[in-house]
Amino acid sequence: LNYAYFDLMKITLKCLFTFEKQINIKKIDILGLDNESIMVYADYDLIYQVIYNLIENAIKFVDEKGYIKFSMASKENIIRFSIKNSGQGIKQKEFKLIFEKFYKADKSRSLDSSGLGLGLYLTNSIINMHNGTIKVDSIEGLFTEFVFTIRANNNN
């Protein structure tokens, strides 16, 4: 890993700008960007990929005129990053499966017709490489939320 200090909010904004067109087409409300800067010591390119994958999934599955909400916090050397979107949600029985290679939730729906089912697998792998955790929470028909935690630095 190529560790460096960087601002988690700035990298999130950079990722969001790449999806500006899709956000505007679906009329998605973006919430939670008023967080303070949170510095993290991690691999910039890999964390960028994690945030990119999570935003891409949120945009893909958010309902039209829905919302995507970000939350970031730092406590006792742990960074907590959350991305939550309104929409159809994920069945609880699929929570562990979605991080497996090539797994695509609810294959009968066309919402995830693009992609290979590698995004969340790679996201999970990258977070594990950083000795972090990632989990999903969802209520069908309401929301899906992905939360990852990583250490703010390598001192503890």
Side-chain angles (χ1 to χ4, degrees):
L1 300 177
N2 296 315
Y3 282 92
Y5 281 103
F6 57 89
D7 184 336
L8 202 55
M9 179 54 75
K10 284 184 181 176
I11 198 172
T12 300
L13 291 172
K14 184 177 179 181
C15 285
L16 263 175
F17 286 130
T18 65
F19 293 102
E20 185 176 9
K21 183 177 179 182
Q22 296 97 311
I23 290 167
N24 289 334
I25 288 169
K26 288 183 94 172
K27 298 176 177 83
I28 302 167
D29 280 335
I30 304 296
L31 310 169
L33 297 180
D34 52 354
N35 283 299
E36 293 182 23
S37 294
I38 294 183
M39 298 302 290
V40 62
Y41 187 67
D43 186 303
Y44 180 92
D45 293 330
L46 292 178
I47 296 301
Y48 180 92
Q49 189 63 54
V50 165
I51 295 171
Y52 181 96
N53 290 348
L54 294 175
I55 292 172
E56 181 179 47
N57 272 0
I59 290 171
K60 191 182 296 185
F61 295 106
V62 68
D63 45 339
E64 191 164 329
K65 297 183 181 177
Y67 69 85
I68 297 174
K69 182 178 182 179
F70 295 89
S71 175
M72 297 170 220
S74 178
K75 183 177 179 182
E76 298 177 6
N77 196 39
I78 300 294
I79 303 291
R80 181 186 184 277
F81 180 98
S82 163
I83 179 169
K84 181 177 184 178
N85 65 275
S86 59
Q88 70 182 26
I90 300 170
K91 294 177 178 143
Q92 191 170 6
K93 67 181 183 180
E94 295 182 327
F95 283 8
K96 288 186 180 183
L97 298 172
I98 60 173
F99 294 111
E100 291 182 6
K101 194 185 298 189
F102 305 119
Y103 184 79
K104 294 173 79 171
D106 201 350
K107 295 166 184 60
S108 65
R109 295 188 182 158
S110 61
L111 285 175
D112 195 16
S113 60
S114 66
L116 300 170
L118 289 173
L120 291 176
Y121 169 77
L122 293 173
T123 295
N124 186 44
S125 298
I126 292 167
I127 294 300
N128 286 335
M129 290 168 57
H130 284 82
N131 297 313
T133 63
I134 186 165
K135 66 177 187 162
V136 62
D137 188 24
S138 184
I139 296 177
E140 285 187 78
L142 291 179
F143 73 89
T144 299
E145 180 179 28
F146 284 91
V147 177
F148 73 79
T149 60
I150 56 175
R151 292 178 16 193
N153 61 51
N154 285 338
N155 296 334
N156 292 338

